[in-house]
Amino acid sequence: MVEPDLADLKAFVSVAAARGFRNAASRGGVSASSLSEAIRRLEQQLGVRLLNRTTRSVTPTEAGQRLFERLAPAFGEISTALDAINLFRDSPTGTLRLNVPSIAAREILPALLSRFLAGHPGITVEVTSNDTFIDILAAGFDAGIRYDERLERDMIAVPIGPPMQRMIAAASPAYLQQHGEPRHPDELVWHACIGHRFESGVLAVWEFTRGDDTVRIVPNGPIVASVIDIQLRAAVDGLGIVYSFDEFLRPALDDGTLVPILRDWWQSFTGPRLYYASREHMPAPLRAFVDFVLRDNRSRDAG
């Protein structure tokens, strides 16, 4: 039997772990066709089918599962061993993959990553924006950013970005002149409210808090969007009331195109967290980023 190529074995592990050629190709920065060819070549050399392929899924056969269970830890050890060499470099190299919500992608990461990468020229950062909670490890990410209520218990989490944030409501002067200004969240049921729908399909509920009172409103209006730019433009054009992060609406509030409403009911909450799995050997790019975030937090607190 011809000795299988290590690259083909690694291709098999990546496809089996990702449960698909397309996902494995995306994670590895290669083409799906090259992975398919590697698996075909490996199966031919071993004389056994390793993967069951359908139009919807790719799953290991019994033989493939046994091979995967032996190879995956071995390749993990190789990766860890090679990554340890990064500790002896002036600047680590490698790719850091982050999954973050849209608020972090727009308002927190741009300036932070620019400063981080300026000091770590050997690192490449891949950022994917996603407003739903996912299993970051299963999806091939090194770390994610989410809020406290969305974090799993077995994850390590450190603050990143503003220590506190808030959700606010606003409308255009023209809208308020025509429809009046609500004085209590309950009155929003009589107003056009611009909704936000998450990628999961769930419509975001508006939550207002004052003292011990909490009011939740299901928005009902002329437009529902998952993109804040659409919501913001609709509000500025007088189509209804918008409810979102202060950071998203602040420019429009500052220039007067939107007017704040229900100030006494704005809800504040703890800022986002960078989270990652607890593991003994952390990839060098992730370790460098975590250390950078911790230093940035200390510098901000000292200032």
Side-chain angles (χ1 to χ4, degrees):
M1 182 180 69
V2 178
E3 189 76 15
D5 189 278
L6 279 178
D8 291 349
L9 291 172
K10 186 175 182 181
F12 163 71
V13 170
S14 66
V15 173
R19 290 295 194 270
F21 289 92
R22 186 172 298 177
N23 288 341
S26 177
R27 296 180 192 179
V30 297
S31 68
S33 61
S34 67
L35 290 177
S36 180
E37 176 61 24
I39 301 302
R40 185 199 63 75
R41 187 167 50 243
L42 184 60
E43 289 178 329
Q44 187 176 48
Q45 291 171 344
L46 296 177
V48 63
R49 178 176 288 275
L50 299 174
L51 298 173
N52 290 317
R53 308 163 178 83
T54 69
T55 55
R56 294 188 175 183
S57 66
V58 175
T59 57
T61 62
E62 183 178 356
Q65 184 62 32
R66 289 193 180 186
L67 183 62
F68 174 74
E69 289 171 356
R70 298 295 295 271
L71 287 179
F75 275 110
E77 285 297 320
I78 292 173
S79 178
T80 298
L82 292 175
D83 194 61
I85 302 300
N86 266 326
L87 298 175
F88 296 93
R89 299 177 185 272
D90 293 333
S91 174
T93 62
T95 299
L96 173 65
R97 296 176 176 86
L98 302 176
N99 186 281
V100 307
S102 56
I103 178 67
R106 293 184 54 157
E107 303 294 335
I108 297 173
L109 282 183
L112 195 69
L113 287 181
S114 292
R115 289 187 285 114
F116 171 69
L117 292 173
H120 299 84
I123 293 178
T124 298
V125 180
E126 294 184 8
V127 179
T128 298
S129 179
N130 188 313
D131 285 320
T132 58
F133 186 80
I134 66 169
D135 184 334
I136 57 170
L137 296 182
F141 295 98
D142 298 298
I145 296 177
R146 290 296 185 273
Y147 291 86
D148 282 341
E149 71 276 8
R150 305 300 300 276
L151 296 180
E152 295 183 11
R153 299 297 181 186
D154 60 346
M155 292 287 182
I156 298 175
V158 298
I160 185 171
M164 296 295 296
Q165 289 182 279
R166 63 183 178 182
M167 301 292 288
I168 68 176
S172 71
Y175 176 88
L176 296 177
Q177 183 176 5
Q178 182 177 357
H179 300 282
E181 180 178 345
R183 302 298 177 181
H184 190 282
D186 286 341
E187 297 177 23
L188 291 175
V189 298
W190 308 110
H191 284 267
C193 296
I194 299 166
H196 175 83
R197 192 175 299 281
F198 293 111
E199 295 172 22
S200 64
V202 175
L203 181 65
V205 174
W206 296 7
E207 188 170 288
F208 298 88
T209 302
R210 185 173 66 182
D212 295 331
D213 294 333
T214 297
V215 179
R216 295 178 177 85
I217 301 294
V218 178
N220 182 28
I223 190 167
V224 177
S226 61
V227 180
I228 184 59
D229 303 85
I230 295 176
Q231 300 170 35
L232 181 59
R233 179 58 185 266
V236 169
D237 288 346
L239 295 181
I241 296 171
V242 64
Y243 175 82
S244 189
F245 286 94
D246 189 325
E247 291 91 340
F248 282 155
L249 305 185
R250 181 53 48 187
L253 293 176
D254 289 343
D255 66 20
T257 52
L258 288 182
V259 176
I261 63 173
L262 299 170
R263 282 179 178 270
D264 294 342
W265 290 87
W266 288 356
Q267 185 183 66
S268 297
F269 48 90
T270 303
R273 299 285 188 269
L274 172 71
Y275 73 103
Y276 51 95
S278 174
R279 49 187 168 183
E280 184 178 353
H281 301 292
M282 187 186 301
L286 176 58
R287 166 51 61 195
F289 187 61
V290 171
D291 289 345
F292 173 81
V293 171
L294 291 173
R295 288 195 303 270
D296 191 68
N297 290 342
R298 289 194 293 268
S299 176
R300 181 187 60 206
D301 293 341

